[in-house]
Amino acid sequence: MIASMPGIKTNVIKKLHLTFALSVIAFIMACSLSSLQAQIKKTSIHFFPQARIFRLDAADVSYVFGINEKNQIQTLYWGQRLSSEDAFSTPQSSAEISSFDPSINTTPLEYVAWGGGLYVEPDLKITFPDGNRDLTLVYVTHTIEGNHLTVSLKDISREVYVQLHYQIDEATGVLRRSVKVQNKTSSSLKIEQIASATVNLPRAGDYQVHYLTGRWAGEWNLQTQKIQPGKLTLESRRGTTSAQNNPWFAIDRGSNDPENGDVWFGALGWSGSWRINVEQDQAQQVRITAGLNPFDFGYLLHAGETLKTPFFYAGYSHKGIGEASRLLHRFEVNTLLPHAPSPKLRPVLYNSWEATGFDVDEAGQERLAEKAASIGIERFVVDDGWFGQRANDKAGLGDWYVNPKKFPHGLKPLIDKVHSLGMDFGLWIEPEMINPDSDLYRKHPDWVLNFPGRPRTEARNQLVLNLARPDVRDYVFHFIDQLLNGNQIAFLKWDYNRNWSEPGWPAVDIEKQKKVYVAFTNNLYSILKELREKHPHVEIESCSGGGSRVDLGIMRYTDEVWPSDNTDAFDRLSIQDGFTYAYSPAVMMAWVTDSPTWVNHRTLSLEYRFLSSMQGSLGVGANLNKWQPEDFAKAKKMIAQYKSIREIVQRGSLYRLVSPQNDSEHSVTETVSEQRDSSVTFAFLHSSTMMYPFPRIYLRGLSPDKMYKIESLDGKLSAATPSLASGSFWMEHGVDVDLRGDFQAALFRLNAINQ
Ligand code: DGJ
């Protein structure tokens, strides 16, 4: 076009051509530079060789560490995302405080072995066959492949290699860390302690830590305490995760605002004995070390062998503990669960346990199935009692054949019936357990965890099969595989009703026996993995007498978890509140059961019980044979209501507006849909005193400028509530619900209107 312009000389035209071409090149370069910058803004792992710095950035988080002058790996920063322009200089180890606290203790290290005068918690402790117990790890090399960084360390003189693995999740900034130890020496060594990671917080003295404690039927209590000089140990020595402590923590700067302020959080993905230490050391450095529990531990690593630790997940939020939970929920649903990033919404299930106990049989279950189908149940689950000689908890575990008296024609007629009613079929199993009164135990008394000549302590009349043994592993895999091959089963409720005692493994050499702590859990995972590969349509629930095996390790292989055997709808408010600090409502099964409950004889209305359970993944566990027509009508209506909001509840962003653990009279949760175009709010009044009205509810997470219609699904809104208002109005002015009396509840929904 330029060339054809009249009156312009050719060399001028050439010049113009050149200028044009140059500006196109400059434009392209600028574009690719800015797209490079955009890429760096997205998710990146970089090594800056001159400064010897590693930098991981994703979502709102930056994590920076480097190689110091002693070739140690030193933490530099973990917190809100920094500019890509921000540069760090080569780390320098910290000075000793005094002759009593040498530099190795005062330098915030990413992974430190016991050796060289270390007094803070070591990540790794090894005894060599010559009696040497000193280990000093230094940087050797590293690799970056996609979003995976591996930093290799080695002892200063021995051929022991430690690889530190890092991954950062693009959407949440959640870091996944683990370690692989390789024994390249020519002899065996004994690992006496091994963590997956240490994370260091910015030096400060005003931290408080939150963690979860509990017991059977009383799980998920949130504890909060100031971090002071010394050490807080959260752990399980029980062989499995346990409800006593859950492997999760969150740390903030003493803020009481759940939606503001810095929060660092972490969770260990391990379903065996574990330990998390939160330590404030001599130099006021707070460091968190998470990994296998060193109690009764000793892992013999032969020449040429490697040991991999579980994954430790660590995240940061600058929007309070509320956002910290939401990040974890998002990470679980989008990255961790077996069908991530798009796990199926949980179907509404019926489970017969509280209705029938061990008295399951074909006719009784069919009767319940008909009733369950009539209210909109989508999955029918037969619980304990269908197999072996299982009349009560004294016999049968281990004998996984269908009880011929209870189901004379096998499970098929019942399964066909369940299918004909439009539901899928689920079955309870407890694969790792055995009753001494079972054919399996009579045949294989050596298959349980035991120390020869010592008592075998029973709990609920059962012993623990030693899943570390290859023959036991095969037996367990094959009976489940056969069960799934022979029956159209869509769902397994995988139970585990006691912890370990006498954890001996006499079948192997003495020095290998303590490997049971690792081999048991790894075999459990490998069975679950293999079953899932062979039977991709089967879903699995992790249950351990309630919430004793809920962790990010088992959740990689299971679709949902059972938080507690306590199904009292009021107690559940606290249980569910605690649970959601760490785990998503998308996996949190919650049944509506009978009233008064077996737990505490409390009487609650059916609406209240439904509203309590509808905050998670809804199930029904009541004895439908005792229900009246009006109960069926109400249940049918509420299940339909739940289905209309389930996507919001299971996929949305949860705001614990009023926690039942902090406020004895009320509790409120709100969940906002992913697109922020709807929300559902559950409000509970525990008891009315002195005629105080229900406190105004200030919603969160809406778009301030969008207009939302409010709809009451259950309970009453105050008469003055407008039917349409902006997100700002609902968040700043708030909503009044009209609740009076004891144990009352309400549910309302907001829907954005198209503008
Ligand atoms: C414990 C579980 O938590 C219950 O739901 C039930 O399945 C029983 N075990 C069955 O023994």
Side-chain angles (χ1 to χ4, degrees), residues 44-65:
S44 61
I45 300 185
H46 283 284
F47 179 63
F48 299 89
Q50 263 178 349
R52 309 216 296 169
I53 300 288
F54 297 96
R55 185 171 158 169
L56 293 80
D57 296 276
D60 257 351
V61 180
S62 294
Y63 191 88
V64 187
F65 59 94

Side-chain angles (χ1 to χ4, degrees), residues 51-156:
R52 309 216 296 169
I53 300 288
F54 297 96
R55 185 171 158 169
L56 293 80
D57 296 276
D60 257 351
V61 180
S62 294
Y63 191 88
V64 187
F65 59 94
I67 308 160
N68 69 20
E69 81 289 359
K70 294 176 180 164
N71 284 330
Q72 297 162 321
I73 303 297
Q74 182 173 337
T75 311
L76 293 173
Y77 178 80
W78 180 27
Q80 193 165 352
R81 187 154 185 161
L82 303 172
S83 157
S84 51
E85 309 294 316
D86 290 325
F88 282 78
S89 43
T90 311
Q92 286 294 312
S93 63
S94 310
E96 63 178 29
I97 301 179
S98 71
S99 54
F100 295 97
D101 291 298
S103 161
I104 192 168
N105 298 283
T106 57
T107 306
L109 298 176
E110 287 278 298
Y111 201 83
V112 63
W114 189 71
L118 184 84
Y119 310 122
V120 295
E121 191 63 50
D123 291 290
L124 183 62
K125 183 175 183 307
I126 285 179
T127 293
F128 292 93
D130 60 359
N132 171 47
R133 305 190 305 281
D134 183 71
L135 192 69
T136 296
L137 298 174
V138 289
Y139 171 81
V140 181
T141 183
H142 72 269
T143 58
I144 298 174
E145 283 160 35
N147 74 339
H148 193 160
L149 163 68
T150 304
V151 180
S152 298
L153 313 179
K154 183 191 166 296
D155 178 57
I156 45 174

Side-chain angles (χ1 to χ4, degrees), residues 353 383-384 428 460 493 495 497 543 545-546 562 565 591:
W353 172 246
D383 208 281
D384 199 347
W428 179 96
R460 208 195 189 206
K493 174 176 171 182
D495 209 343
N497 279 302
C543 168
W562 182 229
D565 272 0
W591 303 347

Side-chain angles (χ1 to χ4, degrees), residues 216 351 353-354 357-358 383-385 390 393 397 428-430 460 462 493 495-497 541 543-547 562 564-565 567 591:
W216 177 74
N351 179 297
W353 172 246
E354 289 201 20
F358 297 96
D383 208 281
D384 199 347
R390 187 80 166 161
D393 63 17
L397 285 174
W428 179 96
I429 51 173
E430 192 175 3
R460 208 195 189 206
Q462 61 199 55
K493 174 176 171 182
D495 209 343
Y496 183 91
N497 279 302
E541 174 180 288
C543 168
S544 176
W562 182 229
S564 180
D565 272 0
T567 53
W591 303 347

Side-chain angles (χ1 to χ4, degrees), residues 407-444:
F407 297 92
H409 313 288
L411 292 172
K412 190 168 186 310
L414 174 61
I415 295 178
D416 288 348
K417 171 83 180 184
V418 165
H419 288 163
S420 75
L421 291 164
M423 300 180 289
D424 69 25
F425 181 79
L427 195 64
W428 179 96
I429 51 173
E430 192 175 3
E432 298 137 281
M433 296 292 164
I434 186 166
N435 286 117
D437 185 1
S438 66
D439 295 342
L440 188 69
Y441 190 74
R442 284 181 278 275
K443 199 164 162 205
H444 296 292

Side-chain angles (χ1 to χ4, degrees), residues 678-695:
S678 348
S679 76
V680 287
T681 303
F682 294 87
F684 298 86
L685 173 62
H686 312 154
S687 69
S688 280
T689 48
M690 310 296 272
M691 294 190 58
Y692 286 119
F694 196 92

Side-chain angles (χ1 to χ4, degrees), residues 287-362:
R287 46 180 95 214
I288 300 105
T289 305
L292 300 177
N293 198 326
F295 176 78
D296 193 36
F297 190 77
Y299 195 96
L300 192 75
L301 199 65
H302 290 303
E305 282 184 351
T306 59
L307 175 63
K308 285 189 198 159
T309 67
F311 295 125
F312 172 64
Y313 302 90
Y316 165 81
S317 147
H318 61 96
K319 294 187 198 141
I321 198 160
E323 181 65 8
S325 305
R326 291 188 288 276
L327 287 172
L328 264 176
H329 298 172
R330 220 169 298 148
F331 176 72
E332 288 154 11
V333 170
N334 295 340
T335 309
L336 191 97
L337 287 173
H339 290 293
S342 34
K344 261 181 29 199
L345 292 175
R346 296 297 79 223
V348 181
L349 66 73
Y350 179 79
N351 179 297
S352 63
W353 172 246
E354 289 201 20
T356 61
F358 297 96
D359 288 334
V360 292
D361 61 24
E362 191 179 306

